[in-house]
Structure formats: structure tokens, C-alpha cells
Amino acid sequence: MTDAPEDTEASAHEAHGGGLGSRLNWLRAAVLGANDGVVSTAGLVVGVAGATESRAALLTAGLSGLLAGSMSMAAGEYVSVSTQRDSEEAALAQEKRELREDPEAELAELTALLAARGLSADVAREAAEQLTERDALRAHARVELGIDPDDLTNPWHAAGASFLAFTVGALLPLLAIVLPPTSVRLWVTVGSVLAALALTGWWSARLGSAPAGRAILRNVGGGALAMAVTYAAGSLLGATGI
Ligand SMILES: [Zn+2]
């Protein structure tokens, strides 16, 4: 397999290794998952609160939203990481076959990839020979495919992390609408949700080294819009007396 050096470089950064990049990816996914839990559950319970004052109805709607959302996130993550893992395993199997069938061509390929990264021809050849001697498959996996064969992402871990992140986010609007007295529950929910969204907006901007102000505004604005729309829909439905 031959890749352009730029592609190899890019896939190395995308890979789920043990490095800083992958830890940042996990953190970012956790913040986004929690944000999803906050926004979708807040929209749901505020919409129901527009239609009814029943605490049982609010609890049922909020809990159902929490469970449906976290399970849907976990299932989606499981499927996507499983597919990624399948293709990584297929690439490793092909690499193994190529190493067995044509070790000379593979050595030349590794040499070229290392040379493309800035090593002189002699040094690249020497490095490729040493890497091949130590662990040829691992060297090709790292340099050519940008993956670590001993550290492929586990779909169950990814699914569990998504489930947890969404649940943590969803608990906030659920508790905020159910616990306070009826007269203030809506304001407690709106206030705590907007504060939480300011926090996740700030955090995700920080993780991506982007300016925080605009990220916070977008995130808070999106959540406010979601709650306004569902509250209006819930109030309309409630007024019809269905
Ligand atoms: Zn190879």
C-alpha cells in the first residue's frame, strides 16, 4: 500500500493512539455528548412544561428523553467505532500479508515513507531496516496507516463514554424541572441550562483553541432557541386542551 506522505501525516493525527491528540478527541466528544444531553432534554421538558404542570408527566418525559438519547448516542458510537475498527483490522491484515509476500517491496516502501518525512536516503534505509527487524507490522501500522496495532479503539468503551456523557448532561434539566416548586421550575431550568451551555461552549472552545466568546454565544443561543421553540409548541398544544 502506498500513501501520499500528507495522507499518512493526517491519519497519524486522527488515529486513536495514547497521545495528547486522542485524549483531546475523547474530551471533546465528552463535552459534545454532555451538551447534547443538556439541549435535547431541556427542550423536551420545557416543551412538556408549556403544556402541563404535572410533575409525573415532566419526570416521565425527562427520564424517557434521557434514556432514549443516551442509548441512541451509545448505539451510534458503537456502530461507528466498530466500523472504524473493522477497517483498521482489515488494513492490518493486508499489511501483514504484504509483509509476508513481498518483504523487499515493503522495506522499500517504508524507506520511501521515512524519506518523505525528511530523512536522507541513507538514514531512511537504515531506520527502515531497524524498524523492520524489531517489529515490521507495527512499523508499517504506525508510519503507513497511522494506527497503533496494540491500541485500537474499543467500541464498548466508546459507547459507554457517550452514554455517560449524555446522561450527565441530561440530568441537569431533568432535575431542574422536577425538583423546584411549580412557580419557579421553568426559570430554574432555563437559567441553569443556559449557564451549563455557557460552560460547555467555553470548554469546547478552549479544547479547540478557538475564541471563547463566539462559541459561548452560539451555544447559549442554540439552547435558548430550542427551549423557546418547544415551549411555544407545548403551550399551543396545552391551550387546545388535548
Ligand atoms: Zn506497508
Side-chain angles (χ1 to χ4, degrees), residues 1 95 98-99 106 109-110 113 140 144:
M1 285 174 81
E95 206 55 43
E98 287 172 357
L99 281 165
E106 286 299 303
E109 179 192 55
L110 190 57
L113 285 169
H140 280 260
E144 189 183 336

Side-chain angles (χ1 to χ4, degrees), residues 10 83 111 116 177:
T83 305
T111 305
I177 202 85

Side-chain angles (χ1 to χ4, degrees), residues 94-105:
Q94 182 179 349
E95 206 55 43
K96 203 182 253 176
R97 196 169 54 241
E98 287 172 357
L99 281 165
R100 196 176 52 232
E101 287 169 358
D102 198 351
E104 269 310 307

